[in-house]
Amino acid sequence: MSALAADPDLIRIGNCSGFYGDRLSAVREMLEGGRLDVLTGDYLAELTMLILGRDRMKDPTLGYAKTFLRQMEDCLGLALDQGVQIVVNAGGLNPAGLAGKLRELADRLGLTAAIAHVEGDDLVARTGELGLGQPLTANAYLGAWGIVECLNAGADVVVTGRVTDASVIVAPAAAHFGWGRTDYDALAGAVAAGHVIECGTQATGGNYSFFTEIADLTRPGFPIAEIRRDGSSVITKHPGTGGAVTVDTVQAQLMYEIQDARYAGPDVTTRLDSIELTQLGPDRVQIAAVTGEAPPPQLKVSLNTLGGFRNEMDFILTGLDIEAKAELAQKQLESWLPVRPAELTWTLARLDRPDAETEEQASAILRCVVRDPDPNKVGRAFSNVAVELALASYPGASFTAMPGDGKAYGVYTPGYVDAAEVPHIAVLPDGVRVDVPQAAETRALEPVAEPSLPQPLPDGPTSRVPLGLIAAARSGDKGGNANIGVWVRSDDQWRWLAHTLTVDALKRLLPETADLTVTRTVLPKLRALNFVIEGILGQGVAYQARFDPQAKGLGEWLRSRHLAVPEAIIDSSPEELL
């Protein structure tokens, strides 16, 4: 029997995975590092679903995160001994298949384990009738209640397909406290905690702007959410692990991959503008005052399609006349190609500097990317021509690597279907199938009115410095769009940021966004702004429209840009790390 009932007023939920490929040893680290009631893991992302879809094309019995099986071979017995329930979305496109493999594993290890799974999210066989086209994968984002059914039935391990990232955290809390479907504030609080810990060490100092303030980031520990009956929580980590849990590391993850003040899910819409963060002590941050609303009537669907084939070639240009060298290489390659691919794009990255002391510092990169539905047009027909330029082009011609055959790429698009069209099925440890109803009460999403801005700072002396001297940022991808969350740590800094970093200002600081649609959301309680930049990632991460296809560095680029900052707020002391 699980340890879920150990404390009736608190449940301690850890995370061991933020993506398919995360630290393999994390399950053991979390189980051995201290007390847990539940261990969760998020293995799915937009790109992961495409990877699993291609696995399933090769072998219909696959389609799940194979690394999770390796982790369970090592640690399933340990989890059972400790009474720690495990809830993961590692089932991907084949949760039933993974559940079966886990039962085989338990039998082979001589363990008695109750294995359950959740299904119904896979809509690929119904995309025609639902108007979703003909994708390779089509998975609706389910919520927490199927997992709740499995936990209430005594499951030791629950694996799911495509549920929302936070659902694996929300469900154990809902099961433990007996929350109802309309306990929106409590559910929203758990969603906030889940959103913070589901990306693993990004909550404990990973990918964090002010990383130099953290004493030891060598091997950050994975996060834990201590969720209370009212939905409030404390984010922490096991003692003695690396990294840190501070208001800023928690806020960094809250700002990750969000859209606006309403964070919609299948069970509840969480109001991000209600969240209050408080540092309670070393590595303990409270999330409180979260309010929730009824979920929207539609479910989001993750759609992945094979878009065609892609290849690229990187030319190294060194020394003088960089622009002329690039122009010659481009003219030659395009004129030598036997047939032009459907897409052919050039990017010149001026990484060189004048009078450089090393050859690398004297060099720029010219990148040519080609895409076409026909693999032959982007395969050797392209790469052979690129290689043939080696002795016939600009002086010093060389390449970062020899090109090869074209590779298939995917296109991600979001879809939406009425929730009533999507089955949600909990398959209990004894094989009983339970139909889980979708939300009976819904509320259509609508924009939140922009809150009143604080009084602007009075005029005073300024210095032209990087924005990142006072502001942190976190950026990420949502299909072809990217978000950048920006926040500061004092009230005076907020008075300046809220009035200064407008949409127009962002477009000036990031010229690549100048012709794109950008929207801004103001979150005063977090002293934060969120920007959504539409279309900057083309057709999603697998399309690789940019050298940073997931927009991971977009926020750091913004922080590096210089602007006139009042000297009075540059000297503002940041919150002391506890």
Side-chain angles (χ1 to χ4, degrees):
M1 187 68 179
S2 163
L4 269 180
D7 185 336
D9 296 314
L10 182 142
I11 184 169
R12 190 171 161 91
I13 304 173
N15 170 276
C16 67
S17 177
F19 67 102
Y20 188 14
D22 211 341
R23 192 188 306 169
L24 200 62
S25 62
V27 174
R28 179 166 289 277
E29 292 174 23
M30 291 299 286
L31 291 173
E32 293 183 339
R35 183 179 68 82
L36 291 176
D37 297 317
V38 180
L39 183 60
T40 66
D42 176 21
Y43 292 77
L44 303 184
E46 293 166 1
L47 179 60
T48 310
M49 301 304 284
L50 176 65
I51 294 170
L52 296 179
R54 297 184 66 186
D55 281 351
R56 187 171 64 177
M57 287 177 65
K58 299 173 186 175
D59 183 347
T61 67
L62 296 179
Y64 51 80
K66 296 185 286 291
T67 53
F68 177 68
L69 274 178
R70 294 170 58 191
Q71 291 171 313
M72 288 300 94
E73 184 168 17
D74 178 46
C75 295
L76 179 57
L78 180 59
L80 293 171
D81 289 344
Q82 295 182 356
V84 176
Q85 288 177 301
I86 294 176
V87 182
V88 297
N89 62 12
L93 301 177
N94 189 6
L98 178 57
K101 289 292 185 181
L102 288 168
R103 294 187 187 97
E104 293 175 8
L105 174 65
D107 289 343
R108 178 161 54 84
L109 297 176
L111 301 172
T112 300
I115 311 295
H117 74 273
V118 177
E119 62 187 34
D121 61 292
D122 194 342
L123 305 179
V124 72
R126 300 173 53 211
T127 53
E129 69 175 271
L130 296 172
L132 299 173
Q134 295 181 313
L136 174 66
T137 68
N139 295 82
Y141 285 80
L142 300 180
W145 297 105
I147 304 171
V148 171
E149 291 283 350
C150 295
L151 294 173
N152 286 340
D156 297 307
V157 182
V158 183
V159 296
T160 77
R162 179 70 278 185
V163 297
T164 65
D165 298 342
S167 289
V168 296
I169 293 100
V170 174
H176 182 54
F177 297 121
W179 292 336
R181 299 289 293 256
T182 59
D183 287 328
Y184 295 131
D185 289 350
L187 291 168
V191 167
H195 182 50
V196 169
I197 74 168
E198 54 90 3
C199 267
T201 52
Q202 280 195 163
T204 60
N207 199 9
Y208 168 54
S209 291
F210 296 133
F211 71 100
T212 57
E213 297 176 352
I214 297 177
D216 179 15
L217 198 56
T218 306
R219 190 176 177 86
F222 278 73
I224 298 164
E226 298 176 349
I227 302 178
R228 305 187 189 101
R229 185 172 294 276
D230 64 356
S232 64
S233 64
V234 172
I235 307 301
T236 185
K237 63 186 183 71
H238 283 320
T241 56
V245 180
T246 71
V247 165
D248 282 318
T249 67
V250 169
Q251 179 156 339
Q253 184 55 28
L254 276 177
M255 301 300 296
Y256 184 55
E257 294 182 342
I258 63 173
Q259 301 296 305
D260 55 31
R262 284 190 163 100
Y263 188 72
D267 301 322
V268 64
T269 294
T270 302
R271 290 294 297 261
L272 298 176
D273 52 355
S274 68
I275 296 174
E276 296 177 3
L277 302 178
T278 306
Q279 189 88 44
L280 299 182
D283 295 319
R284 293 185 64 80
V285 172
Q286 177 179 267
I287 302 176
V290 188
T291 60
E293 301 168 344
Q298 292 188 314
L299 298 184
K300 185 178 179 180
V301 183
S302 172
L303 302 169
N304 281 284
T305 305
L306 291 179
F309 297 84
R310 180 187 185 279
N311 206 346
E312 75 172 57
M313 186 69 180
D314 291 350
F315 300 85
I316 301 173
L317 316 175
T318 305
L320 304 177
D321 305 318
I322 295 293
E323 299 282 349
K325 290 172 179 175
E327 182 181 355
L328 175 59
Q330 179 175 345
K331 179 180 179 180
Q332 287 178 310
L333 187 142
E334 291 191 19
S335 65
W336 289 19
L337 285 174
V339 59
R340 186 181 179 92
E343 296 182 42
L344 191 154
T345 58
W346 295 88
T347 305
L348 177 61
R350 294 299 303 266
L351 308 177
D352 55 302
R353 64 186 69 175
D355 196 21
E357 295 182 356
T358 69
E359 182 178 349
E360 188 171 13
Q361 291 175 348
S363 299
I365 300 295
L366 176 66
R367 176 174 294 112
C368 180
V369 177
V370 290
R371 298 182 184 88
D372 198 278
D374 183 351
N376 295 317
K377 292 183 180 179
V378 300
R380 292 296 173 181
F382 165 75
S383 57
N384 286 350
V385 166
V387 171
E388 289 167 2
L389 295 179
L391 304 183
S393 191
Y394 58 91
S398 63
F399 318 122
T400 58
M402 299 305 291
D405 295 327
K407 296 181 179 180
Y409 70 89
V411 173
Y412 166 84
T413 54
Y416 296 89
V417 298
D418 289 340
E421 296 283 351
V422 180
H424 189 170
I425 302 165
V427 184
L428 307 184
D430 60 4
V432 172
R433 299 172 65 85
V434 177
D435 289 324
V436 179
Q438 301 289 358
E441 180 178 286
T442 62
R443 173 177 175 171
L445 292 175
E446 55 189 18
V448 175
E450 181 166 309
S452 300
L453 297 181
Q455 288 295 315
L457 280 180
D459 292 338
T462 64
S463 291
R464 191 166 180 81
V465 296
L467 174 62
L469 206 60
I470 65 165
R474 172 65 64 80
S475 57
D477 63 304
K478 277 295 181 185
N481 301 341
N483 92 292
I484 307 177
V486 185
W487 70 98
V488 289
R489 302 194 281 190
S490 76
D491 288 339
D492 281 348
Q493 289 172 344
W494 171 238
R495 291 171 64 188
W496 174 81
L497 184 75
H499 290 277
T500 302
L501 195 56
T502 62
V503 168
D504 287 342
L506 181 109
K507 289 187 173 187
R508 287 194 298 272
L509 292 169
L510 305 183
E512 292 178 27
T513 70
D515 297 327
L516 302 175
T517 299
V518 178
T519 56
R520 183 179 96 150
T521 298
V522 180
L523 301 169
K525 288 188 176 183
L526 299 175
R527 301 192 193 102
L529 303 172
N530 186 59
F531 297 89
V532 175
I533 305 166
E534 297 182 22
I536 192 169
L537 302 179
Q539 298 182 62
V541 54
Y543 184 76
Q544 293 187 296
R546 298 169 55 82
F547 77 98
D548 176 21
Q550 291 181 286
K552 295 290 190 181
L554 202 57
E556 290 301 297
W557 177 29
L558 177 62
R559 292 183 67 243
S560 74
R561 298 290 284 158
H562 290 225
L563 67 171
V565 179
E567 293 177 358
I569 65 173
I570 295 174
D571 296 331
S572 296
S573 298
E575 294 176 357
E576 182 179 356
L577 292 180
L578 295 173

